[in-house]
Amino acid sequence: MPERLAEMLLDLWTPLIILWITLPPCIYMAPMNQSQVLMSGSPLELNSLGEEQRILNRSKRGWVWNQMFVLEEFSGPEPILVGRLHTDLDPGSKKIKYILSGDGAGTIFQINDVTGDIHAIKRLDREEKAEYTLTAQAVDWETSKPLEPPSEFIIKVQDINDNAPEFLNGPYHATVPEMSILGTSVTNVTATDADDPVYGNSAKLVYSILEGQPYFSIEPETAIIKTALPNMDREAKEEYLVVIQAKDMGGHSGGLSGTTTLTVTLTDVNDNPPKFAQSLYHFSVPEDVVLGTAIGRVKANDQDIGENAQSSYDIIDGDGTALFEITSDAQAQDGIIRLRKPLDFETKKSYTLKVEAANIHIDPRFSGRGPFKDTATVKIVVEDADEPPVFSSPTYLLEVHENAALNSVIGQVTARDPDITSSPIRFSIDRHTDLERQFNINADDGKITLATPLDRELSVWHNITIIATEIRNHSQISRVPVAIKVLDVNDNAPEFASEYEAFLCENGKPGQVIQTVSAMDKDDPKNGHYFLYSLLPEMVNNPNFTIKKNEDNSLSILAKHNGFNRQKQEVYLLPIIISDSGNPPLSSTSTLTIRVCGCSNDGVVQSCNVEAYVLPIGLSMGALIAILACIILLFVIVVLFVTLRRHKNEPLIIKDDEDVRENIIRYDDEGGGEEDTEAFDIATLQNPDGINGFLPHYRRGLLGGISQDAV
């Protein structure tokens, strides 16, 4: 307590001592002006007007007056004397009046107009305003005329230590990695002091730590905070509170101080390995579990956080490495064991795995501490489950000839119950896959038989599904696809690939190819089709045409001579026998129609009784028939109309004056018996107009049949 009282007395008397030292110069200071000099009692002189004038002599000065000082925050019962103005023109007879103007004149500063003493009538604050500019002037008391020009001077407010340091940006937060070495920089803080940094030590700050030792230290002048202990462990303590003090006056007694807080957080580094919560894990799983199902989870704890705690899991050993896998859950940071392949209780009832957890992000600074990994043992017990039947094959492929007999066995499927307590199996066909019921199956032994005839040319493949059901538990069923391929037999004869029609030019040359034809066969022999072509036995010596087999399995028809005449014969029919290479071979006869046409010199068909060449506009046969029918119908209508009009105008009874002889037809030719009757249309006798029409005359020999030249 005595020391604190001494500090308070020193703080009170220090400004007074400074004031006592600085006031005397201020009182006797005078502005540097030729008319403002000290009175020395020198004799007077007359001026040019004859007036009496005092001779003024300059006295040598040791200083020049231009500013005054006043302590801030000074208060007392009386106004504080700042300084005194005095002019050499003042003889002391009270004839001179002092006037003050400028900053704070009359409100803050007051002057005694007789003595020139300047007082501060208010308490001043340097931090609010550091200096004031004022103007002083001496005038005649009676006339108020200036005795000298006005003089400007400055009053400076002298600083005292009245402001404590402040941390404007506090409280502070900083981070530093755990396990840092001694002296690692954490952060720096800055305090400000409103006092004058130039005058004295009022703004000279010194920093210290009040709380936070022995973990941190601070540089007294720069306020840089560093670690004071090495290898601080975040897992032991993560956050520290540091109290920092800034004291002015260079840290000496009597100075003012301010404090702030700094929260230091240790950031994590990977300095801890993962550790399994237990060394042995037990899991059980049914044998019929779906692939990919999670069987269990293992977890390795890591005292680190964030990415430093991330671990990857692997199965490194055991008898179930092929059946199980482990994946890492990034969110939960544990390992998930999943099933990769099907389990079979009857084959193996338990498995043992060795799993490992290892840090993903390794800090090389701590790698020497040992491996950042850990291992654990996992035992998996397989539980028995009622499993569905198992077919001997995942799919079946059967073959049957298309001429197979009904109820013949096509093939067989087999299945078994994999459980220890095996159940008998019954087989059936899923009729949704055999809507026409072409196949049957024996429910006991799985033999598939043919129920309806097969035709490869209608369907080559038949895909059905066989169902196997446990007799003891009908809910346990399995399905298997069965593909049945129908094999070909030679049951179709070859024939022309299309409706061929050949055209022969009248001016064609001998040996000219009239048409090339090809054959097709609905059967599908293994080695492909090979056709044999021939003419009918009675047509082998055909005088008009011959055939030639081509390498591409086609046939060319050639003309034997030239000089065909369509007037003599328009159409030739050429029967061709086509045989396949089956066992036994099949054959059929197809007839090629050959039409004789008129052609140009370069062999282009110009006219023949065929729609494609008679009409160059390219009308089809159907269109031609329709047009022809319309023309005939129109013609019939016209004929009927004319006939009706004529019958309407003719009388029913022949008039007597008409010459009946005009209706008699004379025929003077020698009679020919029955030939005349067949060659003459009796209707002509009834219709005299028909004599102008064209009546074709056919001889009996032409009507008797087609001559050998027709082919």
Side-chain angles (χ1 to χ4, degrees):
M1 182 63 70
E3 294 178 356
R4 181 61 180 169
L5 182 61
E7 291 180 0
M8 294 176 62
L9 293 176
L10 182 61
D11 292 342
L12 178 63
W13 283 101
T14 298
L16 296 178
I17 294 172
I18 295 173
L19 178 65
W20 178 75
I21 294 173
T22 57
L23 276 179
C26 296
I27 296 173
Y28 295 101
M29 292 166 65
M32 188 177 72
N33 192 294
Q34 290 182 354
S35 61
Q36 294 176 335
V37 295
L38 293 176
M39 298 297 293
S40 59
S42 56
L44 298 177
E45 289 184 353
L46 294 177
N47 56 17
S48 59
L49 298 176
E51 296 178 351
E52 185 180 11
Q53 183 177 5
R54 187 181 302 274
I55 300 174
L56 300 178
N57 295 325
R58 291 183 184 274
S59 60
K60 188 176 180 181
R61 301 177 183 179
W63 47 267
V64 177
W65 171 71
N66 62 358
Q67 61 183 9
M68 297 181 181
F69 295 89
V70 59
L71 284 175
E72 67 169 333
E73 304 294 345
F74 184 82
S75 61
E78 299 294 335
I80 181 174
L81 179 64
V82 178
R84 175 176 295 173
L85 296 179
H86 185 74
T87 178
D88 293 342
L89 299 178
D90 186 1
S93 59
K94 299 182 180 180
K95 292 184 178 181
I96 296 177
K97 182 179 180 180
Y98 294 96
I99 299 174
L100 186 66
S101 61
D103 290 343
T107 58
I108 299 177
F109 302 103
Q110 194 175 53
I111 190 170
N112 188 319
D113 54 2
V114 176
T115 63
D117 293 339
I118 300 174
H119 291 82
I121 59 178
K122 286 186 177 181
R123 186 174 182 175
L124 301 177
D125 186 359
R126 187 198 69 83
E127 287 71 38
E128 180 179 348
K129 190 173 179 64
E131 61 182 31
Y132 297 85
T133 301
L134 297 136
T135 301
Q137 192 172 25
V139 299
D140 185 84
W141 186 271
E142 295 179 354
T143 62
S144 297
K145 291 183 178 180
L147 299 177
E148 59 184 19
S151 179
E152 186 178 88
F153 65 97
I154 296 174
I155 297 178
K156 287 192 174 183
V157 182
Q158 198 167 25
D159 182 57
I160 64 173
N161 190 19
D162 61 340
N163 291 279
E166 293 182 353
F167 292 91
L168 300 180
N169 297 324
Y172 298 89
H173 296 271
T175 60
V176 63
E178 65 170 331
M179 311 304 293
S180 296
I181 62 175
L182 179 67
T184 300
S185 178
V186 179
T187 187
N188 68 316
V189 296
T190 303
T192 58
D193 195 318
D195 293 324
D196 191 354
V198 178
Y199 180 77
N201 294 327
S202 298
K204 185 178 181 181
L205 305 180
V206 174
Y207 298 90
S208 62
I209 291 180
L210 302 182
E211 293 182 20
Q213 296 94 350
Y215 306 105
F216 301 96
S217 63
I218 190 170
E219 292 286 342
E221 296 181 357
T222 62
I224 297 176
I225 301 169
K226 300 180 180 180
T227 57
L229 285 179
N231 301 327
M232 287 189 290
D233 192 359
R234 184 199 66 84
E235 287 73 34
K237 185 176 181 180
E238 184 176 7
E239 194 172 87
Y240 296 84
L241 182 66
V242 181
V243 179
I244 302 169
Q245 182 190 65
K247 190 173 183 181
D248 59 15
M249 299 298 292
H252 296 295
S253 301
L256 302 179
S257 64
T259 61
T260 188
T261 59
L262 168 65
T263 301
V264 181
T265 302
L266 298 183
T267 58
D268 185 62
V269 298
N270 191 10
D271 59 338
N272 293 283
K275 185 71 176 176
F276 279 104
Q278 56 195 75
S279 60
L280 180 62
Y281 293 85
H282 290 276
F283 301 108
S284 59
V285 55
E287 62 174 330
D288 59 350
V289 67
V290 180
L291 297 183
T293 301
I295 296 173
R297 289 174 177 258
V298 297
K299 184 174 180 62
N301 298 314
D302 196 320
Q303 296 182 10
D304 298 319
I305 59 175
E307 69 174 16
N308 295 322
Q310 293 179 359
S311 297
S312 62
Y313 295 85
D314 292 291
I315 299 176
I316 60 175
D317 198 7
D319 55 1
T321 55
L323 277 74
F324 303 95
E325 65 180 358
I326 188 169
T327 58
S328 303
D329 187 340
Q331 298 296 328
Q333 289 298 311
D334 55 6
I336 307 172
I337 301 175
R338 300 181 185 274
L339 182 65
R340 292 178 56 191
K341 294 182 179 181
L343 298 174
D344 187 7
F345 172 80
E346 290 73 25
T347 303
K348 190 173 178 61
K349 297 178 175 59
S350 65
Y351 296 89
T352 301
L353 304 175
K354 187 177 182 180
V355 297
E356 178 186 78
N359 277 157
I360 299 176
H361 306 282
I362 303 297
D363 194 329
R365 294 179 298 172
F366 309 105
S367 59
R369 292 189 176 187
F372 278 72
K373 59 180 67 176
D374 194 19
T375 59
T377 302
V378 178
K379 287 189 174 296
I380 301 174
V381 177
V382 181
E383 298 177 347
D384 189 22
D386 190 3
E387 300 174 85
V390 177
F391 283 96
S392 60
S393 176
T395 59
Y396 290 89
L397 174 62
L398 307 179
E399 293 182 345
V400 57
H401 285 89
E402 60 179 326
N403 61 349
L406 297 181
N407 298 321
S408 60
V409 177
I410 300 173
Q412 184 179 14
V413 297
T414 58
R416 65 176 182 85
D417 184 1
D419 299 320
I420 295 178
T421 58
S422 180
S423 171
I425 306 298
R426 292 188 64 84
F427 299 95
S428 61
I429 297 177
D430 185 352
R431 290 304 176 184
H432 292 92
T433 61
D434 185 24
L435 297 176
E436 297 180 359
R437 295 182 174 270
Q438 292 184 284
F439 306 97
N440 290 325
I441 189 170
N442 189 300
D444 297 324
D445 58 13
K447 290 182 179 180
I448 302 173
T449 57
L450 184 63
T452 61
L454 299 175
D455 187 356
R456 190 203 66 84
E457 286 69 43
L458 295 179
S459 180
V460 179
W461 288 94
H462 296 272
N463 297 299
I464 63 175
T465 300
I466 304 300
I467 302 173
T469 307
E470 290 186 10
I471 294 178
R472 295 177 184 174
N473 185 358
H474 292 174
S475 64
Q476 294 296 333
I477 62 174
S478 296
R479 298 171 181 268
V480 66
V482 178
I484 302 173
K485 183 179 181 181
V486 182
L487 301 179
D488 183 56
V489 295
N490 193 25
D491 58 347
N492 291 278
E495 57 187 6
F496 277 160
S498 63
E499 294 283 338
Y500 290 106
E501 188 173 26
F503 301 96
L504 174 62
C505 291
E506 290 179 309
N507 56 354
K509 299 178 181 180
Q512 181 179 1
V513 176
I514 301 172
Q515 179 72 36
T516 299
V517 298
S518 60
M520 54 86 63
D521 195 328
K522 294 180 180 179
D523 295 321
D524 186 17
K526 293 182 178 179
N527 298 324
H529 290 291
Y530 181 80
F531 299 115
L532 295 176
Y533 300 93
S534 64
L535 297 175
L536 291 175
E538 60 270 21
M539 297 294 178
V540 174
N541 297 322
N542 189 310
N544 298 315
F545 307 102
T546 185
I547 59 175
K548 177 185 177 183
K549 175 69 180 295
N550 300 320
E551 294 182 357
D552 60 355
N553 221 13
S554 64
L555 180 71
S556 296
I557 292 88
L558 294 77
K560 280 188 174 184
H561 61 84
N562 57 2
F564 288 90
N565 189 347
R566 56 177 169 168
Q567 298 297 330
K568 180 179 179 182
Q569 186 169 345
E570 283 185 54
V571 178
Y572 294 88
L573 302 178
L574 183 63
I576 299 174
I577 301 174
I578 309 174
S579 302
D580 60 20
S581 56
N583 186 19
L586 297 178
S587 63
S588 67
T589 301
S590 298
T591 301
L592 176 65
T593 302
I594 303 174
R595 296 184 181 275
V596 181
C597 302
C599 302
S600 63
N601 293 331
D602 53 359
V604 177
V605 176
Q606 291 182 336
S607 63
C608 63
N609 296 333
V610 182
E611 56 176 306
Y613 295 93
V614 172
L615 297 177
I617 59 175
L619 294 177
S620 66
M621 179 63 75
L624 292 175
I625 293 174
I627 294 173
L628 184 59
C630 291
I631 294 174
I632 293 173
L633 180 60
L634 182 60
F635 178 79
V636 170
I637 293 174
V638 172
V639 171
L640 289 176
F641 177 78
V642 174
T643 303
L644 289 175
R645 285 186 62 87
R646 291 184 61 183
H647 282 291
K648 184 177 180 180
N649 295 330
E650 292 178 358
L652 298 176
I653 301 174
I654 301 175
K655 294 181 181 181
D656 296 337
D657 56 348
E658 288 184 353
D659 190 357
V660 180
R661 292 176 297 174
E662 294 178 358
N663 296 324
I664 298 175
I665 298 174
R666 295 178 180 272
Y667 186 74
D668 295 333
D669 291 344
E670 185 177 350
E674 293 181 358
E675 293 182 0
D676 290 342
T677 305
E678 294 176 357
F680 204 87
D681 190 359
I682 195 65
T684 308
L685 298 177
Q686 299 176 358
N687 185 7
D689 295 336
I691 194 169
N692 296 324
F694 173 73
L695 298 176
H697 180 75
Y698 297 97
R699 295 186 180 273
R700 182 179 299 272
L702 295 177
L703 298 176
I706 302 175
S707 67
Q708 189 171 351
D709 293 339
V711 293

